[in-house]
Amino acid sequence: DPGRVCASAAPRFHCILIGLRGTIGPFARFGQLALDAFGPEPRPWHVAALAVRGWAQLWAGERAPLASTLQRLEALDARFGGIALLGERIDQLRAIAATASGDFRTAIAIARRRMAALFAEPSAAGHAVTWGRAYRHAYARLAWNAGAHDEWRALVPALVAPRASREWPFCEVAADLVRGQAALLAGDAAAAIAPLRRAVAGHERFRMPQIYADPRPVLGLALLRRGDPAAAWAAFEPAWRAVVAEGALGLLLLQ
């Protein structure tokens, strides 16, 4: 029974998969099958299925369906808000949906609250060792999109520090993206190009679309500022083709 399989697996699915090639359609179908299996009566476990569907809607740029999903999640949060894991799943979607729609104040407020919880609670210490940098990169992207450059700069030292053995390999790729962004922010497009090229090379293997931005548009921007529009388009075009081929509007909404 596909519905029962999806329902049992939904709590184990994570938003970081969204944005990988070919995930939008399967995530949308998976979320709907799980919801159908759970039935109409609101229950805490609906959060997982709604979050899966909501991530797919966000990445496809489906504004109205995403708003409806967020409303249902808000109602569940009000009813079962004492369950920490549910609140985290809802806040992840809230924050990035707010960023994609330009509501940066809400996005930054949620990110600050979640960061404080991750690093302040003794019970989360083990989780923070592995996931702390991932949270910081996601937070940095919200700040970058919001134009909160002072807040973004404050995160940079932690983002570019040497990777610990328990941290994800993508951290090195994301660190090069940050180095390129820092050079762009300093007005030095030439210095941005080398780290951004390294980020693009590593991105194909360590792609984490919900945590750090696609470096190809950022490299395109650096090349454009260097006065080379042909090279800028060559860097950006593969990302654009992915948007067109997959309907992956989130790639451009979350830079």
Side-chain angles (χ1 to χ4, degrees):
D1 181 345
R4 294 187 66 181
V5 170
C6 292
S8 64
R12 296 172 175 82
F13 269 59
H14 199 286
C15 66
I16 59 174
L17 295 174
I18 279 289
L20 300 180
R21 291 188 191 91
T23 54
I24 295 175
F27 258 64
R29 293 192 295 274
F30 182 99
Q32 189 58 55
L33 282 167
L35 286 170
D36 291 345
F38 287 146
E41 184 67 24
R43 292 288 186 267
W45 42 87
H46 282 75
V47 170
L50 285 167
V52 166
R53 192 172 69 173
W55 288 113
Q57 291 164 340
L58 171 64
W59 206 254
E62 297 175 351
R63 183 184 296 270
L66 175 60
S68 176
T69 296
L70 286 168
Q71 286 178 352
R72 291 184 64 181
L73 285 168
E74 295 283 356
L76 288 170
D77 193 29
R79 188 165 182 173
F80 306 108
I83 304 175
L85 181 59
L86 300 186
E88 182 176 358
R89 282 179 177 264
I90 293 170
D91 271 353
Q92 287 170 341
L93 183 57
R94 280 174 176 153
I96 299 187
T99 300
S101 64
D103 184 3
F104 300 123
R105 179 177 296 181
T106 296
I108 291 289
I110 293 172
R112 285 174 181 155
R113 183 173 72 245
R114 282 295 162 192
M115 290 289 290
L118 178 67
F119 292 103
E121 296 177 9
S123 61
H127 183 68
V129 171
T130 300
W131 283 93
R133 183 135 28 175
Y135 275 71
R136 286 190 176 101
H137 274 293
Y139 183 16
R141 180 167 63 180
L142 298 183
W144 180 268
N145 278 273
H149 293 149
D150 289 342
E151 197 156 354
W152 183 85
R153 287 188 187 96
L155 292 164
V156 169
L159 299 180
V160 301
R163 179 174 71 91
S165 60
R166 288 182 60 185
E167 292 185 303
W168 292 73
F170 82 85
C171 292
E172 294 173 356
V173 180
D176 273 329
L177 171 64
V178 169
R179 292 183 183 102
Q181 289 174 310
L184 282 172
L185 199 57
D188 191 349
I193 290 172
L196 289 173
R197 287 198 187 281
R198 290 196 302 269
V200 169
H203 178 252
E204 187 62 28
R205 184 177 181 192
F206 298 117
R207 187 176 303 196
M208 303 290 265
Q210 292 304 331
I211 294 176
Y212 73 97
D214 190 312
R216 294 171 294 182
V218 188
L219 175 60
L221 175 61
L223 291 165
L224 190 62
R225 289 186 177 175
R226 282 291 310 278
D228 193 343
W233 175 250
F236 175 71
E237 186 179 18
W240 171 248
R241 290 190 179 279
V243 172
V244 174
E246 299 183 34
L249 194 61
L251 188 153
L252 298 181
L253 291 173
L254 298 171
Q255 278 301 306

